[in-house]
Amino acid sequence: MDMTEPLLALENLSVTITDNRGQSKPILQGVSFEIYPNEVMGLVGESGSGKSMTALAIMGLLPRRAKPQSGHIWFNGHDLLTLSKREWYAVRGSQLAMIFQNPRAALNPLMRVGQQVARVVRLHQSLKKRAAYEKALDLLQQVGIPDSQTRARAYPHQLSGGMAQRVLIAMMLACQPRLLIADEPTTGLDVTIQAQIFELIKTIQAEFGTTLLLITHDLGVVSEVCQRVAVMQDGKIQEVATVGELFAHPQHPYTQHLMNTLLRVDRPTNSRA
Amino acid sequence: MLHLLLRHFTLLLGSTLLIGFIGVAWIGPTQMKYEPEKVSRNTYERPSKDYPFGTDKFGRDIQTRVVHATQLDLRIAFTVALISFAVGSVIGAIVGYYGDWLDAIVMRGVDVLFAFPSFLLAMVITGVLGDSERNVITAVTIAYIPYFVRLTRGQMLTVRTLPYADAAISIGNPSWRVALIHLLPNTLAPSLVQMSMVAGWAILDTAGLAFLGLGITSPTAEWGVMISEGAQRITTGEWWMWLYPGAALVLAAFAFNLIGDGLRNLLQQ
Amino acid sequence: MTTTPDTGATDQSPSLWLSFWAILRSNPLFRYLLRRLGLAVLALVGVIGVAFFLTSVLPGNPAVVRAGPLANEERIERYEREMGLDRPLVVQFADYVVHLAQGDLGESWSSRQPAQDELRARIPATVELGIVAFGLTLAISLPLGILAAVYQGTIIDWVIRLFATFGASVALFWLALIGIHLFYYEWDIAPPPLDRLTIGTEEPPSVTGLFTIDSLLAGDIKTCRDALNHLWLPAMTLALVVSAPMTKMIRSAMLETLDKDFIRTARAVGLPPRTIILVDALRSAFIPVLTTSGIVFGYLVAGNVIVERVFSWAGVGQYVWQALDANNLNAVRGFILLIAVVYIVLNLVIDLLYSLLDPRIRLN
């Protein structure tokens, strides 16, 4: 670990969710970890361990029924939990951005993908409509979409999952956020495509110096892409370590268990809920 | 918290209103000073101590008529809801269970009926059958049967694929028995919501038809009939003639709608 | 286009037609349209049959009505023969269908005019009222439905839902009476509820049949203002009642859409809420709302019959009410057919719109 200030620091964050009957139960309990500028941080755990909720809390996109109860999310010297709705819209996109699993559903089905990228370009880089579209085409090319002129005119349902995820990454490039969160960006994609997408994320991270929080259940990916990693279970952080340390000496029994189960399986563990 | 309170508030308010109406229908008529169809010389009287809701053009007490009408209108609403549910869901269950050509034919027919706004359907059928309480019940019932056919059929299609349908057949039940006795009860919950809605619509339709001079007619004390009589005096300002029966009608329909909404929310949990 | 497939001389022509047909048939959109049209025709045939036999068992005898109260047996019999009522029902039906195929709905028995002419004369009044009411309905229910969805679970949502539930319970004729009492009798803002123009005002030369537009075309501002003056109250009454179900539909469609992944993406990249709600969500929510417009149409038509009665509006609704009252069978049948045809065409148009709006369906 180095001596610089963290870009993002979660401090004792607790979130509860209220169900239809008005009963609430905790989904995050005292979550704390830091992310430093320019690093790639992994967040691993099984499905339902609270990884995605952590990400949504950072983005201020928690579902309606989920409410932060205590703690802080420090970003750039501000506590994100105290932001007003209006302030959030200035932060999302330009400072923080996020890509999701199931990329095809994450794109507006009624809009051509080129337009979708272009309007993000316009939002964050004051460009004219025409110029923004040109820029969007550039971005689509940069993320490795062949024949981007034609593909830009496609609707999301006409793209493969891998292509759709590339479009989403192009959207993130248009934002140029300081922190990018990628929530299982390759779930449901072919293995070869998965590798390509991670390759792309790595390249972009190196090129633009974006800080990246990668959420995954795949420790293999973590070992390849991340520098540090946090392990989650039941809404709590069990262990934070560098990738080297973690793989050499897993401290927590849960981490050892996780390694035993997850390293061998190369498909999602969603069925375990 | 607020959310929960409000959700149950809907059901609570609806039930309270409906119980109130049932009470009025039951006890009300015996408490009235006047007879609903008794004419008097005090015509077009404004609401006063003697006549809390005023009188109409024959000097009949409007309050008495509104109270007596409650019984008639509620009776029609309940009858329509029950019969259209009974007939519609049995047809829907059979059709949904057997599927195939029977399903195709019946659902085409239902589509044709749906191509026609239910109020207009009831209007034409009442016109065909002539004016009487039984005929208006028949007409409105026919107009709402398709709703239950479609609902129960849809429910049946999903229920029939569940394991317990197979279980019931495998222990030797004939298929009609499985459809009616084992599967139908499981489709009841959404039907209950629909029944509540249909009761509300039926009460509005009946009054609407009476307003147009169809079904229940003058001099019977019925909300729609009374509103129609009041409408003839709309340009001369005898507002009490239509305001009170209308308010009763709208509150009753509101009660049924609230109950329907409340039940639906309850089931969705 | 006479093709004789068995002669060698014109042997190109049939194959050309066949291949043209084959190309058409391989087009999925065309196949889809053809299927839909087929179903529509079937539904229409069903409606014609039902409409005819349903109305034919009317208990009253139209001949008696026509003959008048003082007529003797002989006179009634003569009318029965004249109107064809003495023939078997099946023969009457065949006769009806043959005439129908020529666009003839038969004679209106109260006026002895062709029923189709009378109906046609009444359509513009109903259409004018319906269009304005529908516009007002959208103006009320769109903002309310969106607000309720965006503020789901808050007091705003609750109030709007209560309005919708109450609106679904309000008897249209009662609301109309309240409107007339307040706006005409008490405050004298609206004209008396007597038809579309002040008595004595000349109708504008008919182009569209819609008085507001025709008077403008004729440059007659005064008549246009008078027409609008008569129009707003009935239209508003109708719109308030139809808004209730419409608001509910828009709310639930919006709720479903706002929950979608792509809305989350739009928020994650920092698009402003207005764009997200009005562009992303509303456009998607519009599709399920569109499929329910058949229901809305039903509400409008049924509501029209009542509103036209209360406001003495000389439209189709008032016409059918009078026809039912007078046992005027051909007019009633004509009305039923008119509604069914409009409904079926509307559904076809909705399906087409649907495939135009949603790119996922377009190619399928």
Side-chain angles (χ1 to χ4, degrees):
Chain A
M1 256 177 268
D2 55 20
M3 303 302 291
T4 47
E5 281 281 296
L7 177 67
L8 178 95
L10 271 68
E11 194 184 321
N12 233 340
L13 178 69
S14 295
V15 174
T16 57
I17 197 158
T18 313
D19 67 10
N20 268 336
R21 291 167 209 278
Q23 281 156 343
S24 48
K25 64 168 199 215
I27 43 173
L28 295 182
Q29 302 179 55
V31 171
S32 302
F33 63 87
E34 284 104 39
I35 305 175
Y36 292 90
N38 300 336
E39 77 169 336
V40 180
M41 172 95 177
L43 184 58
V44 295
E46 290 167 311
S47 300
S49 59
K51 296 169 300 185
S52 293
M53 281 299 165
T54 308
L56 291 175
I58 298 172
M59 292 296 297
L61 291 176
L62 281 173
R64 197 181 295 273
R65 295 178 187 284
K67 288 270 180 307
Q69 298 298 318
S70 61
H72 305 276
I73 304 176
W74 297 105
F75 181 80
N76 236 358
H78 297 281
D79 185 356
L80 294 179
L81 291 181
T82 63
L83 291 188
S84 69
K85 256 189 180 166
R86 186 176 292 256
E87 287 168 325
W88 260 119
Y89 278 95
V91 172
R92 278 198 291 257
S94 54
Q95 306 281 323
L96 304 167
M98 181 166 173
I99 51 177
F100 301 93
Q101 36 188 325
N102 197 2
R104 292 212 297 177
L107 289 167
N108 187 334
L110 303 184
M111 215 187 255
R112 297 177 197 276
V113 293
Q115 294 294 347
Q116 296 194 49
V117 178
R119 65 176 185 163
V120 180
V121 172
R122 272 186 79 190
L123 187 72
H124 294 290
Q125 313 168 19
S126 46
L127 287 174
K128 288 254 159 54
K129 233 179 182 168
R130 194 58 183 269
Y133 194 77
E134 294 294 326
K135 179 84 208 252
L137 292 182
D138 277 356
L139 289 172
L140 289 175
Q141 203 155 17
Q142 262 184 60
V143 297
I145 293 180
D147 195 11
S148 54
Q149 287 277 21
T150 329
R151 290 295 172 91
R153 296 185 47 74
Y155 288 96
H157 73 277
Q158 296 164 318
L159 298 180
S160 66
M163 277 300 148
Q165 195 56 282
R166 285 173 195 269
V167 172
L168 279 162
I169 293 173
M171 263 161 120
M172 299 306 134
L173 287 183
C175 295
Q176 297 181 329
R178 306 206 20 215
L179 173 68
L180 176 63
I181 304 174
D183 185 0
E184 311 236 8
T186 59
T187 307
L189 301 183
D190 289 348
V191 181
T192 46
I193 310 284
Q194 283 190 10
Q196 287 173 16
I197 295 286
F198 278 121
E199 206 51 49
L200 175 65
I201 291 178
K202 256 161 68 179
T203 320
I204 284 166
Q205 198 270 335
E207 197 170 317
F208 292 87
T210 315
T211 310
L212 182 69
L213 175 62
L214 178 66
I215 297 175
T216 179
H217 55 258
D218 189 343
L219 284 174
V221 167
V222 169
S223 70
E224 269 175 51
V225 184
C226 303
Q227 282 125 39
R228 289 194 314 131
V229 60
V231 180
M232 269 193 108
Q233 183 199 15
D234 296 335
K236 296 183 197 119
I237 297 284
Q238 302 295 358
E239 183 170 6
V240 183
T242 65
V243 169
E245 282 170 29
L246 189 86
F247 279 82
H249 317 283
Q251 297 290 315
H252 199 276
Y254 176 69
T255 315
Q256 294 163 3
H257 162 76
L258 203 62
M259 285 214 215
N260 289 337
T261 48
L262 294 188
L263 274 180
R264 269 183 253 124
V265 195
D266 55 7
R267 62 192 141 78
T269 47
N270 286 345
S271 53
R272 288 204 48 173
Chain B
M1 223 24 236
L2 180 75
H3 186 71
L4 268 175
L5 193 78
L6 295 180
R7 166 174 289 165
H8 292 293
F9 177 78
T10 313
L11 192 55
L12 225 68
L13 180 64
S15 323
T16 315
L17 273 173
L18 186 62
I19 290 169
F21 270 105
I22 292 175
V24 167
W26 201 322
I27 309 162
T30 60
Q31 306 294 312
M32 293 291 114
K33 288 190 278 186
Y34 307 95
E35 288 295 313
E37 285 167 29
K38 178 90 182 291
V39 295
S40 81
R41 235 175 271 154
N42 309 327
T43 57
Y44 299 124
E45 290 246 352
R46 284 185 163 272
S48 65
K49 234 170 118 193
D50 285 342
Y51 300 105
F53 290 180
T55 63
D56 63 10
K57 69 172 164 181
F58 297 117
R60 296 172 298 197
D61 177 42
I62 300 214
Q63 190 190 37
T64 307
R65 286 174 67 74
V66 168
V67 167
H68 277 265
T70 307
Q71 208 175 61
L72 174 62
D73 281 272
L74 284 191
R75 186 170 66 222
I76 293 177
F78 282 125
T79 317
V80 168
L82 275 173
I83 302 182
S84 57
F85 157 72
V87 177
S89 52
V90 168
I91 297 178
I94 293 172
V95 161
Y97 187 81
Y98 288 103
D100 256 4
W101 57 269
L102 184 68
D103 183 51
I105 291 174
V106 173
M107 291 321 284
R108 277 297 119 210
V110 166
D111 282 348
V112 170
L113 285 179
F114 264 114
F116 222 68
S118 33
F119 179 73
L120 295 188
L121 194 61
M123 184 174 96
V124 172
I125 299 175
T126 313
V128 170
L129 295 174
D131 300 331
S132 77
E133 184 187 332
R134 211 179 68 193
N135 288 348
V136 82
I137 289 178
T138 311
V140 180
T141 301
I142 292 175
Y144 287 113
I145 285 177
Y147 286 76
F148 290 100
V149 174
R150 189 188 265 184
L151 179 77
T152 312
R153 170 185 174 267
Q155 293 283 323
M156 207 64 180
L157 288 180
T158 34
V159 169
R160 144 178 114 160
T161 59
L162 297 178
Y164 69 75
D166 289 337
I169 293 172
S170 65
I171 55 174
N173 285 296
S175 47
W176 63 266
R177 215 182 130 86
V178 176
L180 289 185
I181 296 175
H182 292 262
L183 297 185
L184 191 56
N186 288 285
T187 67
L188 280 182
S191 294
L192 203 65
V193 175
Q194 187 73 44
M195 271 169 84
S196 185
M197 300 308 227
V198 164
W201 293 333
I203 217 165
L204 286 173
D205 285 354
T206 306
L209 290 174
F211 179 79
L212 293 179
L214 293 161
I216 314 280
T217 49
S218 206
T220 313
E222 193 278 340
W223 294 331
V225 171
M226 298 177 69
I227 299 171
S228 160
E229 286 165 354
Q232 291 162 8
R233 307 288 295 182
I234 184 64
T235 52
T236 49
E238 279 91 1
W239 51 267
W240 56 90
M241 286 181 64
W242 49 264
L243 187 72
Y244 294 113
L249 168 65
V250 169
L251 271 182
F254 191 45
F256 284 118
N257 275 324
L258 283 176
I259 293 175
D261 271 7
L263 282 179
R264 182 179 308 150
N265 283 335
L266 211 65
L267 291 176
Q268 270 170 3
Q269 274 187 12
Chain C
M1 254 54 42
T2 49
T3 51
T4 41
D6 51 338
T7 55
T10 52
D11 104 6
Q12 286 222 317
S13 165
S15 66
L16 244 180
W17 272 102
L18 278 178
S19 57
F20 181 57
W21 179 243
I23 290 168
L24 266 183
R25 278 195 48 145
S26 65
N27 181 340
L29 184 69
F30 178 79
R31 272 224 309 267
Y32 174 73
L33 268 183
L34 203 71
R35 214 175 72 88
R36 289 294 323 228
L37 265 175
L39 285 176
V41 169
L42 248 150
L44 200 59
V45 170
V47 170
I48 293 172
V50 171
F52 184 87
F53 289 105
L54 194 67
T55 49
S56 298
V57 288
L58 267 175
N61 186 343
V64 177
V65 177
R66 151 103 59 100
L70 298 174
N72 54 19
E73 282 292 302
E74 192 189 335
R75 200 173 150 91
I76 292 172
E77 264 170 40
R78 206 183 74 225
Y79 272 124
E80 271 183 351
R81 260 200 313 284
E82 219 173 84
M83 293 156 83
L85 292 172
D86 54 338
R87 300 169 301 168
L89 209 52
V90 182
V91 177
Q92 287 185 46
F93 181 60
D95 189 51
Y96 184 72
V97 171
V98 167
H99 280 94
L100 195 63
Q102 300 159 357
D104 180 8
L105 291 174
E107 183 183 83
S108 160
W109 291 335
S110 352
S111 63
R112 320 204 65 168
Q113 300 294 313
Q116 66 269 21
D117 291 355
E118 289 192 339
L119 266 175
R120 198 178 297 135
R122 300 287 196 122
I123 289 174
T126 299
V127 168
E128 190 170 34
L129 182 57
I131 287 177
V132 175
F134 184 64
L136 288 171
T137 301
L138 284 181
I140 296 168
S141 55
L142 266 178
L144 289 187
I146 294 171
L147 271 177
V150 171
Y151 293 100
Q152 186 207 2
T154 67
I155 193 85
I156 299 176
D157 179 29
W158 189 73
V159 168
I160 292 174
R161 280 168 66 190
L162 201 68
F163 158 80
T165 305
F166 191 72
S169 329
V170 165
L172 186 52
F173 44 99
W174 188 61
L175 191 67
L177 292 176
I178 293 181
I180 295 169
H181 182 77
L182 292 179
F183 291 103
Y184 165 67
Y185 183 78
E186 291 285 342
W187 304 329
D188 204 18
I189 306 174
L194 299 167
D195 212 356
R196 305 164 70 190
L197 291 173
T198 305
I199 296 163
T201 308
E202 196 139 330
E203 286 185 17
S206 179
V207 183
T208 58
L210 313 181
F211 286 176
T212 45
I213 292 177
D214 284 354
S215 57
L216 278 184
L217 287 178
D220 185 350
I221 303 292
K222 222 179 117 228
T223 308
C224 177
R225 192 175 301 154
D226 192 51
L228 280 175
N229 217 6
H230 281 76
L231 193 55
W232 69 268
L233 189 56
M236 196 67 205
T237 313
L238 196 50
L240 272 176
V241 170
V242 181
S243 299
M246 192 79 176
T247 303
K248 277 192 180 175
M249 287 179 225
I250 292 173
R251 175 182 176 272
S252 65
M254 276 299 279
L255 273 183
E256 201 179 306
T257 315
L258 285 173
D259 236 23
K260 292 260 166 76
D261 282 4
F262 70 87
I263 297 293
R264 200 171 56 179
T265 308
R267 294 174 70 192
V269 296
L271 284 167
R274 190 189 310 185
T275 312
I276 294 174
I277 291 165
L278 295 183
V279 178
D280 290 275
L282 192 57
R283 234 187 109 191
S284 296
F286 190 67
I287 292 171
V289 170
L290 189 73
T291 51
T292 54
S293 24
I295 301 172
V296 175
F297 170 75
Y299 275 101
L300 273 174
V301 172
N304 249 346
V305 176
I306 284 180
V307 166
E308 287 181 12
R309 165 98 182 86
V310 181
F311 288 88
S312 317
W313 196 264
V316 175
Q318 204 193 36
Y319 180 68
V320 73
W321 173 71
Q322 288 160 349
L324 263 178
D325 210 39
N327 263 325
N328 191 349
L329 294 194
N330 282 337
V332 175
R333 289 170 190 149
F335 170 78
I336 296 176
L337 286 186
L338 178 70
I339 301 296
V341 167
V342 174
Y343 182 86
I344 288 166
V345 170
L346 184 83
N347 271 321
L348 270 175
V349 171
I350 288 171
D351 269 13
L352 281 180
L353 269 180
Y354 196 75
S355 62
L356 281 179
L357 279 172
D358 193 339
R360 283 163 296 185
I361 296 175
R362 202 176 295 170
L363 293 172
N364 213 330

